[in-house]
Amino acid sequence: MEFYVEWRQRGDNYNNGYGNGHTLSLSESVQKMKEIKTGDDSTVFQKDGITLTAYHKKITDGVTECRTVIENKSGKETYIELLSSFAIKKIKADKIHRATSFWSAEGKLLSQDLNDLNFERSWANHGFRIEKFGQIGSMPVRKWFPFLVLEDSENRHFIGIQLYCASSWQIEIFRNTDDISVQGGLADRDFGAWTKKLLDGQTFETPKAVIAEGSSLEEVCDKLVKAQKPDISATDKDLPVIFNEYCTTWGNPSFENLEKTAKKLDGTDVRYLVIDCGWYKPDGVENWFDAAGDWIPSKKLFPNGIKAAAEMIRSHGLIPGIWFEMENVGTVAKTFNETDHLLKRDGFPVTVGARRFWDMRQKWVWDYLDNHLLALLKDCSMGYLKVDYNENIGQGVDGAESYGEGLRECVVQSQNYFKHLKKEIPDLVIENCASGGHRLEPSMMEIVSQASFSDAHEALDIPLVAANLHRLIRPEQSQIWAVMRAEADIHRIRFVLTSAFLGRLCLSGEIFDLNDEQWNEVLKSISFYGKVKHIIKDGFTKEIRTNTKDYLNPKGFQAVLRTLGNEALLIVHTFKEGANPPVTDLLEGWKIKESFGSDLNEDLRGMVYYLNK
């Protein structure tokens, strides 16, 4: 494996291996650059007054952090159309593993033999084999996660890659000899309409990537996830339980409903009570998403204001939280027509369904959000902010040298506003939500305390999605919803609660309507969670075993073994035709210290085993 740089300077020749239109890699820019310096942490290349420094710093055993810095010393301006965050050549691999993602089905693993992708080299070592994938827009986890693992099955060697990029990105695998090369970073001109102008003397730095090596898929995924360094607030470091009222009111929160919930939670180990969307909904407006943007609390839902609700929540020993979709505005909001401050493409506001997008590059927008969002957080002493994001900007916007660069600038400034909020309120717990999991990528996860794992609020595939995310984000940040319904039988209650042990336990639903038996199960789960959350936080997911493929109508079972020294959690779920799953071997060498859930001798059951040696 050898690090280098993939880039393309406008005006240079394209590659001639039948790749033009598929790839900008291996153009004249790469062929004519000269390696001038090699060190342990970086390699420096030059071409015609352009200097490219490929950083590849080892941060732990088998884990390398990569980024590229380009500096223009040519004496004139130039345009760059491709610049990799990482580029590796001389790789031996015969399989790849990717994480697919759609709404409410995040992180499903796709494993493929390269031969199935028609990736054998040609008989003459000529003609590129190319597999290029990525995402366009402001939802970086949509269809694909920015993640790839290459496997050399003969030698049991794995190379895992994660990109830290919340705007359009790409990863590209290519070959025309026995060896394989892979590069990735910002989506290039062909794929993401990105070009960057560099004046003489200017520099540009790519988003970073992390590369991990190991002897198994599980090992490299664990290394990648643990390389993420999130800014978790002090009050959230011990993985407290959350209650979010969204699945209680579905966008119609009220003081009365919150008070019933707070009274029920009083004296439990639940720490946060979060007011979700709709608290600002004007009279006569049916849909909560149409009204986002003006942020005027509803007098009907909150007659005495949000502050009174926050004070009531605190009086019951809970930390109040609130929902904002701060980067978007809805159709009935007055701000929907503030077009001087909204993103445009070709001079027209980017309008997607019921939403438009603030231009987060503008000081005016930051001031507006400070006056409406930050001021409310401070005035109400809110300790928790759920930031939702429910549409995608798309290819790009006006205001920069290319659509893709405009998009990148806007996304970076959105992330900077997250950091601004944390600077203003250091103890604030921020949740990253984007229609569930559309922004579950590392650069977003590093600026928040936790994230909503998915919008699969009451689906049977909750444990499947939750387990997938172990390969991609830290389980201590992955908020799994456990929605309680009074009409559910005790096994359904346990199925849902045990699913949440795959991450952070987040309750919702009409808990005040539960009978004593149901409520006691909730209290038991909270107590049990408190005993094992250190394994959720610091453990190693050694195995995810499942024979289930259909997420809408799952059949079979799933078992997840997460170990931490002499302790472990084994979390098992059965689906249709999945009773008595084959998991006995996963218990070998362990003693069952405690368990919570239902026996697995029937379908649709969940069980958590707390194990030790």
Side-chain angles (χ1 to χ4, degrees), residues 337-396:
N337 297 308
E338 289 279 2
T339 54
D340 287 345
H341 308 294
L342 299 173
L343 292 178
K344 299 182 181 69
R345 187 181 304 139
D346 301 324
F348 297 96
V350 179
T351 307
V352 187
R355 289 177 176 82
R356 288 176 174 171
F357 305 86
W358 285 125
D359 188 341
M360 297 297 291
R361 298 169 292 187
Q362 294 188 14
K363 182 181 182 298
W364 188 98
V365 173
W366 280 44
D367 290 343
Y368 179 87
L369 292 175
D370 280 357
N371 291 331
H372 290 76
L373 185 159
L374 181 59
L376 184 146
L377 295 178
K378 289 182 174 180
D379 183 55
C380 300
S381 298
M382 289 290 178
Y384 187 110
L385 172 65
K386 176 179 178 178
V387 180
D388 210 341
Y389 191 84
N390 289 298
E391 263 308 342
N392 188 4
I393 293 171
Q395 186 184 60

Side-chain angles (χ1 to χ4, degrees), residues 97-112 133 141-147 169 437 465 468-469 471-472 551:
H97 307 273
R98 292 180 282 183
T100 64
S101 188
F102 289 105
W103 181 76
S104 290
E106 292 86 350
K108 192 173 186 178
L109 191 68
L110 176 63
S111 300
Q112 296 170 297
F133 66 100
V141 176
R142 191 185 59 152
K143 189 172 182 180
W144 302 105
F145 276 76
F147 161 91
W169 60 267
V465 176
N468 290 338
L469 296 180
R471 301 186 182 100
L472 301 157
Y551 278 27

Side-chain angles (χ1 to χ4, degrees), residues 297-548:
S298 165
K299 289 290 186 182
K300 180 179 179 180
L301 297 171
F302 295 91
N304 298 311
I306 296 295
K307 187 173 183 178
E311 290 173 346
M312 176 274 294
I313 290 169
R314 285 197 179 272
S315 74
H316 290 282
L318 301 159
I319 295 174
I322 195 162
W323 177 101
F324 272 87
E325 191 172 353
M326 65 189 188
E327 296 144 280
N328 300 343
V329 296
T331 53
V332 303
K334 293 179 181 178
T335 47
F336 192 77
N337 297 308
E338 289 279 2
T339 54
D340 287 345
H341 308 294
L342 299 173
L343 292 178
K344 299 182 181 69
R345 187 181 304 139
D346 301 324
F348 297 96
V350 179
T351 307
V352 187
R355 289 177 176 82
R356 288 176 174 171
F357 305 86
W358 285 125
D359 188 341
M360 297 297 291
R361 298 169 292 187
Q362 294 188 14
K363 182 181 182 298
W364 188 98
V365 173
W366 280 44
D367 290 343
Y368 179 87
L369 292 175
D370 280 357
N371 291 331
H372 290 76
L373 185 159
L374 181 59
L376 184 146
L377 295 178
K378 289 182 174 180
D379 183 55
C380 300
S381 298
M382 289 290 178
Y384 187 110
L385 172 65
K386 176 179 178 178
V387 180
D388 210 341
Y389 191 84
N390 289 298
E391 263 308 342
N392 188 4
I393 293 171
Q395 186 184 60
V397 296
D398 298 340
E401 57 266 54
S402 63
Y403 284 157
E405 176 61 9
L407 174 73
R408 186 198 66 82
E409 292 175 346
C410 291
V411 170
V412 167
Q413 288 305 312
S414 281
Q415 292 181 313
N416 286 339
Y417 192 77
F418 277 73
K419 297 172 186 176
H420 166 69
L421 291 173
K422 195 68 184 294
K423 183 177 180 181
E424 290 289 322
I425 310 176
D427 295 332
L428 184 67
V429 176
I430 302 179
E431 175 192 335
N432 167 27
C433 182
S435 289
H438 281 107
R439 294 208 287 194
L440 296 180
E441 67 74 45
S443 73
M444 288 297 301
M445 295 306 301
E446 288 198 330
I447 60 176
V448 299
S449 284
Q450 52 180 282
S452 184
F453 87 117
S454 179
D455 268 355
H457 299 300
E458 298 186 79
L460 289 176
D461 64 347
I462 285 176
L464 300 172
V465 176
N468 290 338
L469 296 180
H470 281 223
R471 301 186 182 100
L472 301 157
I473 64 173
R474 300 176 76 103
E476 68 178 300
Q477 291 187 279
S478 186
Q479 182 188 116
I480 316 299
W481 288 63
V483 181
M484 298 292 100
R485 300 298 183 202
E487 65 271 17
D489 67 27
I490 202 66
H491 297 298
R492 170 66 184 180
I493 294 285
R494 291 171 180 161
F495 181 94
V496 171
L497 289 167
T498 53
S499 297
F501 281 74
L502 290 159
R504 297 288 301 274
L505 175 55
C506 177
L507 298 167
S508 193
E510 303 94 345
I511 55 170
F512 38 75
D513 289 337
L514 298 180
N515 61 36
D516 289 345
E517 182 187 25
Q518 293 168 325
W519 182 239
N520 283 336
E521 288 297 309
V522 176
L523 296 178
K524 284 166 59 178
S525 75
I526 293 172
S527 174
F528 189 51
Y529 172 82
K531 298 174 184 177
V532 303
K533 60 186 179 182
H534 62 290
I535 305 174
I536 297 170
K537 181 178 181 180
D538 296 320
F540 163 51
T541 300
K542 186 176 182 180
E543 183 160 356
I544 301 174
R545 181 183 298 180
T546 185
N547 60 356
T548 299

